[in-house]
Amino acid sequence: MNLGQAKLILIIAFAALNLFLGYHLFWSDFGHLTRVAVSAEELRLTEQVLAENNYKLEAPIDRAIQTADFLTVSQSLSVQRSVLLSFLREGANVRQGEEANHYYVEGKTATIHATGLISITYNPPVLLGENLHSRDHRDIRSMVDALIADYQLNFDGLRFDRLEKYDSSNIVVYYYQVIGESSVFTGQLTVKIAEDKVRSIDIYWLEPVERIPTREIRVISAIEALNSLIYELGSATEPQVISRVELGYYSSDYEAEKWEIPPVWRILINGQNYYINAFTGNLEQKIVIPEQPQ
Amino acid sequence: MKQEKFKSIVLLMLVCLSLLLTYQLWYGQQPVELTADDENIYERIIIEQPRPPEQIVSPEVIVIPAENGFYAFREGEQFYYRLWESLLGLMESPFVREQVEEPVTDLPEEAPLILRCYLSPLLPVGTKLSLMPLLPAGEIAMLDLIAGKETFWIRFYTADEKIFAEREITTAQTAVLKDLIAGVEEEGRVTHKLLTGEAAASASGENITVTRQIFLPQEQTMLARLPVKPESIDREQLLKTFFVDYSLVRTIEEKDGAVIYTDGEKGLRLTAGGFEYSHPRLEEGVSNQSVPEALNNSGILISFHGGWPVGLRLEKIAQSPLGHSVPYIAQWRMYHEGNPLYTAKPTRAVFNDRGLIHFSRFIYSIQPEEQNSAEMRVNASWQEALKTAIALYRDDTGAQTEVMQLELEAFNLGYAIIADFDELWAEPVWQLQINGRRVLLRADNLVQLKEEDIK
């Protein structure tokens, strides 16, 4: 073996060694670009745990690694103003209260609460269509969409959420708010229908104030959120169906100047929404406001 | 030849790279806390060192007999601190068990009292504690310094007024205390009298009993309305003491300017005057800690969450029902030159074995430089204050209370924190507590201050 061949062998050996060292040093950094937050095996195990606790997972699971930040919001004064102006244009009588202001015109009343919640009640109720209960969800939804547009309540970012039939006469149609590309489940518009007539529309709408992208951090995976929720709820006595698991933003409504809302995994079980904080894994409940113990 | 040179260069580069990567893998993969200095790794929390256990409890009042009554000293007075420090020094030296069981004393029956100290909360002493560690565990409610033939004696009483221990102190210790107490005879110092039920009944013309020791000034007193400031709080530092992962904390800005920080489980509300914190989940925990442990924990909590400034005194610590549990509640109050400062919200910690459930801290302090220019006002006498307070109490509770036995539970001068033209003031007040109800009267004109007037 001459010196040239020896050098060549050494070059190959050191190149291989460097590849090996490089893999160990840097693969974890590159890995997250290709890895998923939830492996197929983890998903299978979670489904098994859910089934053992009487829950059936029927929702698709987003398996990608995701990051999020807090979203700073305030009550939407523009939406309040637009509702208010539409009532005032019709010559509304105004009654101001400590907790809410009331606006009366013939056939409807708007109540704007201090928390920002707007409740519009119709008296007499507005007929939407005949035999709604026997109709297809899509038919009802298109009728409600048209009504909302007609009443100029189709605000920017309004998205259809779901439609629930509760008994032989009650139907509730839920909408939520989208800010930028994020679903904000705190922002809601709810249409309540009874005996084919719209009884009331509740609106809670938010305005984005600022985003803090520097605080963007990785959120927990959808299956971690599911596990947290099942831990909180415990085993179900009746079979429960998990029909949605999706990432968005949520906090309870609050009478404040502005506030930050955290990313959450919204989990819909038998028509009931649960919100798991996507940073901490805690079930989002009423915000902890410090109070003196009695 | 050229090819060989190229191979040599490539080989050399690969060898260097492999050395570099090996070094990186070997040293660069260590936990960051081992490879960098602490300054760069941890966000430092600058907190005050907790007080040693013997400095957590301090006397409610120290009295020294005077010609016509007592001189009374409370938290916030220099003389009080010097006296208490000297007395603590006497308790640190070992007391032996025999002295409790068979006190060998040459103390005459009517030996003159040199000093008396009322302790509330009670002071834990004995086994494994820093004060009198050789004695059995116990709690001291009162401490007397008594003149023996040549030296002083120190005597401790339990809450039921039984002698817990006594001993003769050394000649040197006696000399130090004699010198210290000799300095009390200052000109113009007001003497106090221990209020008895008869004196209270005679002053007010009411059927009233006094449920605890109350020392009231016998001569005319003067106090000034003083400007106060809430303590300044370093928000960032404070947040770090409550939230382990500060990045998960979100804020809510209330319309009144207060800011709430919460991670969904714990909440901290910061206002202009102080802050409140809650961790309701911990309410379900148990409280198996002993009183000395709880005292120690209370000291750690106040020091960790904002510090323990001079003039702040632990007023009470007790277990109290909250929901389904019985946590400890520790409460502090700020004093200025012996007079307590009354605020709308307390400085208080509620905690159990799982941790801190609630904490509120509203501490105001008087600026010494602004004190000299303040106008002194004459305070109404305690007799007038008592009569006015009873009349107000009757008005508030209804005429039927005339048949009710009145119990006077607290009566002292102090300051109430009030707002006037957007400025905060410490208003001199007479504070009375009758049958559990607090009455605050402006000290000069005895006009009632309502609870909602206090900040």
Side-chain angles (χ1 to χ4, degrees):
Chain A
M1 190 189 297
N2 61 26
L3 189 63
Q5 278 175 319
K7 276 184 191 168
L8 195 64
I9 290 166
L10 281 171
I11 285 171
I12 292 164
F14 272 99
L17 175 65
N18 285 339
L19 277 174
F20 173 76
L21 294 171
Y23 169 81
H24 277 278
L25 265 173
F26 304 117
W27 184 249
S28 58
D29 291 336
F30 295 135
H32 78 273
L33 300 174
T34 53
R35 279 183 301 171
V36 289
V38 181
S39 69
E41 178 63 11
E42 285 171 323
L43 186 56
R44 194 187 60 76
L45 281 171
T46 302
E47 281 174 330
Q48 199 178 318
V49 170
L50 291 172
E52 283 165 9
N53 287 284
N54 228 356
Y55 295 92
K56 190 178 180 198
L57 182 63
E58 288 187 351
I61 294 292
D62 188 342
R63 294 171 60 199
I65 291 173
Q66 300 191 57
T67 58
D69 53 9
F70 286 103
L71 182 66
T72 307
V73 294
S74 63
Q75 290 174 17
S76 175
L77 297 179
S78 59
V79 164
Q80 288 182 23
R81 209 174 297 125
S82 103
V83 172
L84 178 67
L85 284 174
S86 74
F87 270 72
L88 291 177
R89 270 197 291 269
E90 293 177 52
N93 287 319
V94 183
R95 188 164 62 82
Q96 290 190 322
E98 257 184 45
E99 296 292 315
N101 294 335
H102 308 271
Y103 302 86
Y104 303 94
V105 294
E106 202 181 336
K108 59 183 176 178
T109 305
T111 303
I112 301 181
H113 298 263
T115 56
L117 174 69
I118 305 165
S119 300
I120 304 170
T121 50
Y122 298 92
N123 194 10
V126 179
L127 183 69
L128 191 67
E130 299 292 339
N131 292 323
L132 290 182
H133 243 268
S134 56
R135 292 207 193 185
D136 185 45
H137 278 207
R138 269 178 296 183
D139 284 354
I140 302 169
R141 188 194 150 184
S142 62
M143 280 190 261
V144 173
D145 282 348
L147 178 103
I148 287 170
D150 191 31
Y151 287 175
Q152 295 180 331
L153 298 174
N154 51 346
F155 312 114
D156 279 351
L158 185 81
R159 293 280 187 283
F160 172 77
D161 188 5
R162 66 190 197 280
L163 186 151
E164 300 274 356
K165 289 181 179 175
Y166 287 103
D167 50 39
S168 59
S169 69
N170 287 310
I171 300 169
V172 182
V173 186
Y174 297 91
Y175 294 81
Y176 65 88
Q177 187 177 2
V178 171
I179 295 176
E181 290 176 356
S182 308
S183 305
V184 180
F185 304 121
T186 316
Q188 290 173 1
L189 188 147
T190 312
V191 181
K192 292 175 184 161
I193 301 160
E195 291 165 349
D196 302 335
K197 291 170 186 165
V198 175
R199 306 274 162 164
S200 67
I201 299 176
D202 289 341
I203 307 156
Y204 187 76
W205 217 245
L206 299 170
E207 259 166 31
V209 177
E210 60 182 327
R211 257 205 140 100
I212 313 166
T214 50
R215 287 174 68 182
E216 193 152 296
I217 38 182
R218 185 174 160 175
V219 299
I220 62 168
S221 70
I223 62 160
E224 282 176 273
L226 277 169
N227 286 325
S228 289
L229 182 63
I230 301 312
Y231 176 78
E232 285 284 340
L233 299 180
S235 293
T237 47
E238 298 284 319
Q240 306 279 307
V241 175
I242 300 171
S243 50
R244 281 191 204 177
V245 180
E246 55 198 330
L247 194 63
Y249 285 88
Y250 174 79
S251 76
S252 48
D253 56 345
Y254 195 71
E255 193 187 336
E257 194 70 29
K258 59 177 182 176
W259 65 99
E260 290 175 336
I261 52 178
V264 292
W265 284 102
R266 180 173 79 153
I267 299 167
L268 184 65
I269 304 177
N270 280 23
Q272 166 87 46
N273 276 319
Y274 296 94
Y275 302 93
I276 295 289
N277 188 311
F279 287 151
T280 62
N282 297 330
L283 181 64
E284 278 293 311
Q285 289 158 339
K286 206 77 184 155
I287 290 166
V288 178
I289 307 297
E291 278 175 16
Q292 291 293 329
Q294 297 303 308
Chain B
M1 196 60 200
K2 226 176 188 180
Q3 197 184 7
E4 286 307 309
K5 210 171 187 178
F6 176 73
K7 276 185 190 168
S8 299
I9 292 167
V10 169
L11 183 59
L12 190 69
M13 281 169 62
L14 285 169
V15 169
C16 291
L17 183 63
S18 69
L19 287 172
L20 185 74
L21 291 174
T22 308
Y23 177 87
Q24 279 283 322
L25 199 60
W26 196 258
Y27 293 104
Q29 297 294 302
Q30 283 195 32
V32 277
E33 59 268 31
L34 301 179
T35 55
D37 58 294
D38 291 352
E39 288 282 338
N40 297 327
I41 301 304
Y42 299 109
E43 288 188 87
R44 275 183 171 254
I45 310 175
I46 300 156
I47 53 152
E48 192 180 283
Q49 282 298 310
R51 289 188 180 188
E54 66 274 12
Q55 285 178 25
I56 290 169
V57 173
S58 61
E60 185 182 355
V61 60
I62 303 174
V63 291
I64 294 175
E67 205 174 299
N68 185 24
F70 295 92
Y71 296 121
F73 301 94
R74 294 185 176 86
E75 180 79 43
E77 292 180 277
Q78 284 308 313
F79 201 76
Y80 165 95
Y81 294 127
R82 286 162 64 195
L83 281 172
W84 183 232
E85 197 183 339
S86 305
L87 294 169
L88 277 177
L90 300 179
M91 284 187 263
E92 278 159 9
S93 53
F95 270 64
V96 291
R97 185 175 287 271
E98 291 74 46
Q99 286 171 310
V100 190
E101 287 162 357
E102 287 177 44
V104 181
T105 172
D106 62 349
L107 216 50
E109 288 262 321
E110 295 301 317
L113 180 73
I114 301 297
L115 169 153
R116 175 165 284 176
C117 217
Y118 292 93
L119 288 146
S120 173
L122 305 182
L123 181 67
V125 295
T127 317
K128 294 180 187 169
L129 296 170
S130 55
L131 297 173
M132 305 193 288
L134 296 179
L135 290 182
E139 289 179 322
I140 294 170
M142 199 166 75
L143 176 165
D144 279 354
L145 206 59
I146 305 157
K149 277 182 188 163
E150 286 167 7
T151 56
F152 288 167
W153 283 69
I154 189 165
R155 179 183 281 168
F156 303 95
Y157 298 87
T158 55
D160 52 3
E161 295 186 4
K162 286 187 179 150
I163 297 176
F164 176 78
E166 68 174 10
R167 67 173 277 194
E168 189 177 15
I169 65 170
T170 65
T171 317
Q173 286 169 331
T174 304
V176 170
L177 278 162
K178 269 185 182 167
D179 278 354
L180 183 60
I181 291 164
V184 81
E185 298 273 346
E186 248 179 46
E187 216 175 291
R189 198 184 283 280
V190 174
T191 56
H192 292 68
K193 218 164 202 174
L194 182 64
L195 184 67
T196 59
E198 294 83 59
S202 140
S204 62
E206 299 273 356
N207 183 17
I208 189 163
T209 51
V210 181
T211 60
R212 58 178 306 160
Q213 74 289 337
I214 292 171
F215 288 89
L216 290 169
Q218 294 196 80
E219 298 118 50
Q220 191 182 67
T221 54
M222 294 174 86
L223 285 173
R225 187 193 216 203
L226 300 166
V228 287
K229 281 182 185 164
E231 68 173 345
S232 68
I233 294 164
D234 183 335
R235 284 191 179 202
E236 286 248 323
Q237 291 289 333
L238 189 72
L239 280 171
K240 287 170 195 166
T241 66
F242 284 112
F243 299 99
V244 177
D245 194 345
Y246 174 41
S247 63
L248 303 181
V249 175
R250 59 189 195 261
T251 57
I252 299 158
E253 290 181 26
E254 293 190 308
K255 289 179 177 169
D256 62 0
V259 183
I260 294 171
Y261 297 87
T262 179
D263 62 0
E265 286 208 313
K266 297 175 271 181
L268 173 70
R269 176 197 266 135
L270 279 124
T271 62
F275 64 84
E276 290 167 85
Y277 164 85
S278 277
H279 193 172
R281 232 170 217 253
L282 300 188
E283 278 177 20
E284 299 309 313
V286 292
S287 295
N288 289 328
Q289 52 197 302
S290 65
V291 173
E293 283 169 335
L295 271 172
N296 206 34
N297 287 334
S298 73
I300 291 168
L301 288 171
I302 191 83
S303 300
F304 192 60
H305 301 299
W308 192 331
V310 175
L312 188 71
R313 180 176 171 270
L314 177 70
E315 286 215 322
K316 65 176 182 188
I317 184 162
Q319 281 188 281
S320 180
L322 177 72
H324 302 295
S325 66
V326 192
Y328 274 96
I329 298 185
Q331 191 160 311
W332 295 263
R333 188 177 297 287
M334 197 67 187
Y335 280 68
H336 174 69
E337 295 184 349
N339 296 308
L341 269 59
Y342 296 105
T343 52
K345 288 182 175 173
T347 296
R348 179 159 71 182
V350 182
F351 58 98
N352 60 20
D353 294 355
R354 288 179 71 193
L356 185 60
I357 304 165
H358 296 277
F359 190 81
S360 63
R361 186 178 168 115
F362 292 86
I363 294 177
Y364 294 83
S365 57
I366 291 160
Q367 307 304 304
E369 64 273 13
E370 288 166 9
Q371 196 181 340
N372 299 332
S373 55
E375 184 197 342
M376 299 295 276
R377 298 180 200 162
V378 175
N379 300 322
S381 70
W382 68 263
Q383 290 91 341
E384 290 170 60
L386 182 60
K387 271 192 257 182
T388 310
I390 292 172
L392 284 167
Y393 173 80
R394 292 213 183 283
D395 284 349
D396 287 352
T397 53
Q400 288 195 351
T401 55
E402 278 177 22
V403 290
M404 189 192 281
Q405 171 70 41
L406 297 177
E407 290 193 341
L408 185 62
E409 294 144 352
F411 191 4
N412 58 278
L413 278 167
Y415 294 97
I417 307 300
I418 58 163
D420 196 359
F421 294 106
D422 289 340
E423 283 188 21
L424 289 169
W425 296 91
E427 177 72 29
V429 288
W430 277 109
Q431 191 255 170
L432 297 97
Q433 192 171 304
I434 302 168
N435 291 13
R437 186 182 285 254
R438 184 165 83 164
V439 181
L440 286 170
L441 305 168
R442 287 182 196 267
D444 55 349
N445 58 17
L446 299 180
V447 170
Q448 188 181 16
L449 272 177
K450 300 270 188 197
E451 292 293 332
E452 56 267 27
D453 296 332
I454 301 164
K455 291 283 148 189

